[in-house]
């Protein structure tokens, strides 16, 4: 099994300015965990934008987001099941990335635990959970994703053949805006 190697450049070794991070948090329920995660983000990223996207649930977080300890944005979206065709999910994440206006987007879910501020600068367009406990993506899907990636960048390599980009992952905003541009995601054959 290939192992995803994290770069060794720590923040103290970097001479580049620190990139900015925005937090995109699609939510449905689990109010206590949502508030816990937002509070943890605020503890370690006090000035970073956070966008809560209620995607079909019935809790209005607009007043909670106005409280200083949370300081977030809140939006509602129509409930959709994006598991069989993720185009709406791509559109929502792209719109969220535009609103966050940061160098990177951290995708959150209610089961994430934020323990500290990041200590290593992101080195790739995306990075996430080391989920080698899940089965790998199928060979046909890997070949399809590699083909599409090489249309954009001839040197593209799929470095991780598992899912991994679940809550708790980072994605470079420029990559989100490109990959989730309607002209690009509408070409995807789901």
């Amino acid at each position: 099994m290939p192992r995803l190697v994290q770069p060794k450049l720590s923040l103290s070794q970097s001479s580049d300015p620190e990139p900015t991070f925005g937090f995109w948090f699609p939510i449905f329920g689990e109010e206590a965990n949502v508030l816990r995660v937002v509070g943890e983000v605020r503890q370690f990223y006090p000035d970073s934008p956070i966008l809560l996207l209620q995607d079909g649930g019935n809790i209005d977080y607009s007043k909670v987001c106005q409280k200083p300890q949370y300081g977030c944005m809140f939006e509602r979206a129509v409930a959709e099941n994006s598991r069989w065709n993720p185009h709406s999910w791509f559109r929502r994440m792209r719109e969220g990335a535009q609103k966050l206006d940061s160098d990177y987007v951290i995708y959150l879910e209610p089961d994430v635990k934020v323990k500290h501020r990041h200590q290593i600068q992101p080195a790739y367009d995306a990075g996430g959970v080391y989920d080698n406990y899940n089965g790998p993506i199928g060979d046909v899907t890997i070949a399809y994703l590699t083909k599409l990636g090489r249309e954009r960048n001839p040197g593209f390599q799929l470095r991780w053949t598992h899912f991994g980009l679940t809550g708790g992952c980072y994605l470079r905003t420029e990559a989100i805006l490109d990959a989730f541009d309607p002209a690009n995601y509408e070409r995807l054959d789901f």
Side-chain angles (χ1 to χ4, degrees):
M1 295 295 252
R3 179 168 168 80
L4 183 64
V5 178
Q6 181 65 286
K8 300 290 185 211
L9 183 63
S10 74
L11 290 176
S12 61
Q13 297 170 315
S14 175
S15 61
D16 295 334
E18 184 172 342
T20 58
F21 295 88
F23 294 81
W24 187 65
F25 197 173
I27 56 176
F28 182 82
E30 300 189 46
E31 305 88 81
N33 281 333
V34 168
L35 296 178
R36 176 191 53 77
V37 171
V38 173
E40 290 169 355
V41 169
R42 270 295 153 251
Q43 180 181 357
F44 301 109
Y45 295 86
D47 300 320
S48 292
I50 302 171
L51 175 58
L52 300 182
L53 176 68
Q54 182 66 267
D55 56 0
N58 58 9
I59 299 166
D60 183 346
Y61 287 90
S62 58
K63 289 184 181 169
V64 168
C65 281
Q66 292 172 8
K67 294 181 181 260
Q69 69 263 37
Y70 300 114
C72 49
M73 298 176 277
F74 174 71
E75 292 185 356
R76 285 185 179 275
V78 175
E80 294 180 353
N81 184 345
S82 298
R83 289 176 287 198
W84 67 273
N85 183 344
H87 290 177
S88 65
W89 192 92
F90 293 156
R91 178 183 44 77
R92 289 175 179 180
M93 185 173 214
R94 186 173 198 273
E95 290 170 357
Q98 289 170 321
K99 290 172 184 160
L100 291 168
D101 192 28
S102 56
D103 297 318
Y104 288 89
V105 171
I106 308 296
Y107 169 38
L108 298 172
E109 288 182 352
D111 61 351
V112 168
K113 176 85 176 139
V114 182
K115 295 182 177 183
H116 54 79
R117 193 169 173 89
H118 70 286
Q119 297 173 338
I120 298 172
Q121 294 290 21
Y124 305 106
D125 285 344
V129 177
Y130 183 62
D131 68 337
N132 63 343
Y133 46 86
N134 284 318
I137 298 169
D139 291 340
V140 173
T141 302
I142 290 170
Y144 179 63
L145 294 173
T146 300
K147 175 183 156 288
L148 292 176
R150 289 188 178 159
E151 287 174 12
R152 174 69 171 83
N153 174 357
F156 174 82
Q157 293 179 351
L158 189 63
R159 297 177 185 263
W160 187 243
T161 60
H162 297 265
F163 297 96
L165 296 179
T166 62
C169 75
Y170 73 85
L171 300 115
R172 192 164 54 99
T173 298
E174 184 180 338
I176 293 171
L177 298 178
D178 180 39
F180 298 165
D181 183 291
N184 292 327
Y185 72 67
E186 287 173 2
R187 294 182 324 125
L188 299 177
D189 179 7
F190 283 94

